[in-house]
Amino acid sequence: MNNPSAYYDHGTAAERWARAQLFFEAKEYVPAARILDALAVEAPEQLAPRLLLARAYYHSAQLTRAEGELRAILERWPVEDYAQLLLGRTLERQGRAAEAAPHLRIAAAMAGDFPEV
């Protein structure tokens, strides 16, 4: 078997999840995203792989993909404060500060971080 993608696709979902986490922790974001993308398709109801996928996209500068995944997460889990924060940061990195601001305010409010009035 001389298929380079076979390594990423090999094993049970739990084994691939563990492998993706190892790649992410090693700052190997592109291979982590490759594994997590398939896991997110297989189990769209699972938040953890989708959130880690968005983080891998963000850290590997795949900002359009990160934005798309984060918007999908927030559509399904609107109270996910970390997704709000990361979407705000992703939009900022794309030079879209005005679009980022509401997401950052929501994330701060959800975290209980209220600025002095």
Side-chain angles (χ1 to χ4, degrees):
M1 172 166 75
N2 196 11
N3 183 356
S5 69
Y7 175 72
Y8 300 106
D9 302 331
H10 179 74
T12 66
E15 290 168 340
R16 288 179 285 135
W17 168 245
R19 188 177 309 124
Q21 289 177 304
L22 289 172
F23 275 118
F24 189 88
E25 290 167 11
K27 298 183 189 284
E28 294 289 336
Y29 302 116
V30 173
R34 248 177 111 168
I35 297 165
L36 291 162
D37 185 50
L39 286 172
V41 169
E42 285 177 39
E45 72 285 353
Q46 295 291 320
L47 174 61
R50 296 187 72 181
L51 197 51
L52 193 59
L53 173 60
R55 291 176 64 199
Y57 284 151
Y58 176 84
H59 288 298
S60 62
Q62 297 180 64
L63 301 178
T64 302
R65 286 181 174 176
E67 179 185 351
E69 190 60 35
L70 289 162
R71 290 189 187 278
I73 288 168
L74 289 170
E75 186 175 305
R76 189 168 189 148
W77 296 280
V79 296
E80 179 53 49
D81 62 323
Y82 187 74
Q84 289 283 359
L85 175 65
L86 191 56
L87 179 56
R89 296 283 182 239
T90 300
L91 293 169
E92 280 182 333
R93 256 180 98 180
Q94 294 178 68
R96 296 160 58 190
E99 286 178 69
H103 296 286
L104 296 173
R105 280 194 302 272
I106 291 169
M110 291 174 131
D113 184 14
F114 299 103
E116 293 297 320
V117 197

